[in-house]
Amino acid sequence: MALLSIVVPCYNEEETVELFYDALINVLKTMDKEYEIIFVNDGSKDSTLEKLTGLYNKADGKVKIIDFSRNFGKESAMLAGLREAKGDYVTVMDTDLQDPPEYLPKMFEVMEKNGDDVVGTRRVTRKGEPKIRSWFARQFYKLINRYTEVEIVDGARDFRLMKRQVVDSILSLNEYGRFSKGLFVWVGFKCEYLEYENVERVAGETKWSFWKLFRYALDGIIEYTDMPLSISFWVGGFLTVVMAVVLLVQLICLLFGANITFNAVLISVVLFMGGAILLASGILGEYLAKTYDEVRKRPHYIVRRKYE
Ligand code: UDP
Ligand code: MG
């Protein structure tokens, strides 16, 4: 029988892990697949680990836990889980039931029917989410998709069913910055999305503050596009042209004896140019930081203990 690996990153999820596990098992029981569930405890500060070891003890070998030494973020947790997964099929799920387990059989059905390598899910609504966050999310997808060679699908979740080969390809990308929304589509393969309405978390709270998400979006843009560099190019170019025109006009006015306070203009020119240079070097700095990360080749996470 084919083996399905389910990777589950958890961070402070004491309220949800058991609910999630029960809902998942109910669905898995109806399916004709062997399964393993790999929980990655991403440095939770609450009793998540105790809840997980409880599940581990009662699940006779079908549950594994990777316990991180601190919080390394969801991307690192996913990476650890994918590396650990032995399945012919692999999926990633959140513990908060925002990725409904009932979709798993449907995903398999679609995959078999259409011969897909990947079946993803995407939410077509963002109800229950702050308006401003939705707006930023939409702008992010618009922006990043204008400049990337692959399409990063709006609303796509990390909840996706992948065949072994796809997972191996993702793991073969050994860059440090793991922006998985990008990595998942970058590897290609035949992929299809099931659409659904946003579901709200069963319990607990989201771990993503607005700024964490903003930073995440910025990482995506910097890792997947050269757009910020071209901004500095265009802004710089625009400023140079505008300033050339301004200077020309001033020169002509002075020639005709008009009364211009030259100092005022000079100050604004200097400020403008200073701003442009700062912006450009700031953007270079972002790239430099990324390069530094890549060169350092630090591990993505440190495992404290494995339960298997
Ligand atoms: N998560 C994690 N490490 C983190 C943040 C989140 O492993 O640093 C996990 C979290 O436990 C959950 C999943 O990633 O299972 C998605 O997080 P959340 O539901 O808070 O995000 P949202 O659905 O609000 O985008
Ligand atoms: Mg969630």
Side-chain angles (χ1 to χ4, degrees):
M1 233 196 294
L3 176 68
L4 166 65
S5 306
I6 300 144
V7 172
V8 193
C10 318
Y11 175 50
N12 293 347
E13 297 284 3
E14 61 181 3
E15 292 171 78
T16 60
V17 279
E18 285 165 346
L19 292 172
F20 167 77
Y21 180 78
D22 293 339
L24 179 64
I25 292 295
N26 279 336
V27 173
L28 289 173
K29 274 199 296 219
T30 66
M31 294 168 59
D32 60 339
K33 299 277 186 294
E34 284 290 331
Y35 63 89
E36 59 171 1
I37 307 173
I38 302 165
F39 286 105
V40 184
N41 180 35
D42 185 12
S44 300
K45 294 180 188 72
D46 60 4
S47 64
T48 303
L49 183 63
E50 287 78 70
K51 295 271 158 67
L52 290 178
T53 47
L55 298 175
Y56 169 79
N57 289 330
K58 76 174 190 200
D60 56 16
K62 294 197 191 281
V63 166
K64 288 183 188 171
I65 306 170
I66 301 175
D67 184 29
F68 280 2
S69 60
R70 64 167 172 86
N71 179 246
F72 283 93
K74 187 184 177 188
E75 297 289 346
S76 299
M78 276 199 287
L79 178 66
L82 291 179
R83 281 185 179 156
E84 189 63 33
K86 307 266 181 321
D88 309 294
Y89 300 92
V90 179
T91 183
V92 178
M93 294 179 84
D94 289 2
T95 50
D96 54 12
L97 294 174
Q98 282 189 306
D99 299 328
E102 311 83 83
Y103 276 72
L104 273 175
K106 262 191 239 173
M107 288 155 95
F108 269 108
E109 218 172 89
V110 171
M111 184 176 258
E112 269 151 36
K113 197 173 82 199
N114 303 344
D116 296 323
D117 300 302
V118 182
V119 177
T121 54
R122 73 181 272 260
R123 27 176 210 180
V124 283
T125 56
R126 291 179 167 270
K127 70 167 194 291
E129 212 186 50
K131 285 263 173 336
I132 177 101
R133 180 182 285 206
S134 307
W135 185 84
F136 269 101
R138 266 199 311 277
Q139 300 311 312
F140 164 71
Y141 284 109
K142 240 192 240 165
L143 192 71
I144 199 163
N145 281 323
R146 192 170 304 156
Y147 299 97
T148 42
E149 53 182 307
V150 288
E151 198 201 345
I152 295 182
V153 180
D154 188 355
R157 311 261 321 160
D158 295 328
F159 181 31
R160 45 175 55 223
L161 183 63
M162 297 175 277
K163 286 190 175 158
R164 183 77 250 164
Q165 194 192 0
V166 179
V167 178
D168 288 341
S169 315
I170 291 169
L171 292 177
S172 75
L173 305 178
N174 48 20
E175 63 214 73
Y176 188 79
R178 311 285 312 175
F179 181 71
S180 54
K181 282 184 194 309
L183 297 178
F184 284 167
V185 287
W186 190 89
V187 295
F189 294 99
K190 191 165 184 292
C191 177
E192 207 173 326
Y193 288 90
L194 295 183
E195 298 187 346
Y196 70 104
E197 303 246 319
N198 192 26
V199 190
E200 286 184 45
R201 223 177 209 283
V202 277
E205 270 170 18
T206 177
K207 308 301 173 306
W208 295 85
S209 66
F210 182 79
W211 286 112
K212 218 167 148 192
L213 269 179
F214 188 76
R215 195 54 237 182
Y216 181 67
L218 210 60
D219 279 348
I221 289 171
I222 289 169
E223 277 158 30
Y224 280 84
T225 73
D226 290 338
M227 192 265 292
L229 275 178
S230 68
I231 291 185
S232 75
F233 176 80
W234 288 110
V235 171
F238 178 75
L239 268 180
T240 318
V241 172
V242 169
M243 285 307 138
V245 173
V246 168
L247 286 176
L248 202 70
V249 170
Q250 283 171 343
L251 207 69
I252 292 168
C253 288
L254 284 173
L255 276 180
F256 286 95
N259 190 13
I260 300 178
T261 49
F262 195 70
N263 278 353
V265 179
L266 195 65
I267 285 169
S268 54
V269 168
V270 169
L271 284 179
F272 251 127
M273 296 312 288
I277 291 164
L278 266 183
L279 177 71
S281 59
I283 290 168
L284 282 178
E286 287 276 358
Y287 278 88
L288 204 64
K290 294 284 163 201
T291 314
Y292 184 50
D293 277 344
E294 295 292 340
V295 170
R296 255 190 322 193
K297 289 269 173 287
R298 275 210 189 143
H300 286 93
Y301 52 84
I302 292 166
V303 173
R304 189 169 58 179
R305 188 179 157 190
K306 266 191 200 175
Y307 304 70
E308 54 185 345

